[in-house]
Amino acid sequence: MLRLWSDDSVYLSTPTYFTINTTLPLQYTKIRNYTAPESVYRTARTMGPNLAYNEKRNLPWRLPVDPNFWYMVRLHFCEPHELINSRPALRQFEIFLNSQMAEPNADPIIWAEDSNVPVYKDYLLFMSKKGDENKKNLTIDLHPKSAEYFDVILNGIEVFKLNSSNENLAGPNPQPDSSNSTGGKSKMKQKLLISGGGCAVGLLILLSLFACMVVLRYRKRHYYGSYSETNWFCWWLNPRKGKPRGSLNLPEELCRHFSLDEIKAATNNFHDDLVIGKGGFGKVYKGFLYEGEKTVAIKRLNPESRQGVSEFLTEIEMLSQLRHLHLVSLIGYCCEKREMILVYDFMSNGTLSDHLYGTNYDPLVVWVST
């Protein structure tokens, strides 16, 4: 049977001696070795070496229990002293339960017939109820008898609560504190005042945090100009699904959200050798997606540009829904870490500007001057 063992010091009302046997082996000749943990029989409470002091006193325990129930009290003993083992009756004591004599001549050596042999004794008692008491102390007192060795010993205590005639183990409900009824209203007022004060403090903290956010927002906007608007726009994006949650509501197949890591990988971390154009918006890079299987044009916002989030939103909303053979297609966008980036199909034959004004391509339009 599994039981919970705990220190008995909280139930003792007088100072005691605590002894430990860590060397001599235990001999289970009287009881089973699973009766109690070995640590129970290797430790013990005694009264100490002052025999004159012990002769006039008891070793007491006070254990609170529920009244109107029967209890079985099991006391564990194991005499470790070889001196005591030399002759029985050297250490004898009386056992009192609830001030009633339970054992007039307790002698663990006589019960065990040797030292270091664990034994136990069981006693049955009824805890009667007086008045309105909900708890009652079950008392255990050990008193040394006239002998050559005035002392007592006890290794462990177990208290088993037995069910009543109706198979009930429940104790009475605790009585309400009388002071609660008289001072209940004043305590309730104090609780309400404390709760109201706590709510007021919490609201003040929230307002302070909101004010700090507004001031920080104003400072960032004042410092960065129109480019700081990207922060507010990015708060409306869902970086996991790649879909805007505010002003943009575009299907994934029309306009994909790319992570900044994908964009950096596609442009070799925005390497200058991949720059294929420049404009008012910023630089345009040649990029490679899906392990180089698709070539794209990646337009990156210049922080010093006056073009801001409004142009960025307009270009995404309009071009993502336009699909034509003669129009460059918008594939997706990126908005992370103060970056605004657009991803287009790559025009392998060059731009219209290239063919009009001459680049590495042969011009399709011949200009005649007169």
Side-chain angles (χ1 to χ4, degrees), residues 183-197:
K185 292 184 178 180
S186 60
K187 290 185 177 179
M188 181 61 69
K189 289 181 179 179
Q190 291 178 359
K191 290 181 179 179
L192 290 175
L193 289 174
I194 293 173
S195 301

Side-chain angles (χ1 to χ4, degrees), residues 230-239 243-248:
T230 58
N231 285 341
W232 291 95
F233 170 68
C234 291
W235 288 356
W236 290 90
L237 295 180
N238 186 340
K243 293 182 180 180
R245 296 183 295 185
S247 58
L248 294 178

Side-chain angles (χ1 to χ4, degrees), residues 20 28 47 116 123 158 169 176 180 228:
I20 302 177
Y28 290 95
M47 300 183 73
N116 301 307
Y123 306 93
E158 288 187 273
L169 285 173
N180 290 340
S228 64

Side-chain angles (χ1 to χ4, degrees), residues 66-71 125-127 161-162 164 168-171:
D66 295 326
N68 275 348
F69 283 93
W70 285 92
Y71 291 88
L125 69 156
F126 182 78
M127 300 297 295
K161 184 179 183 181
L162 307 181
S164 59
N168 179 29
L169 285 173

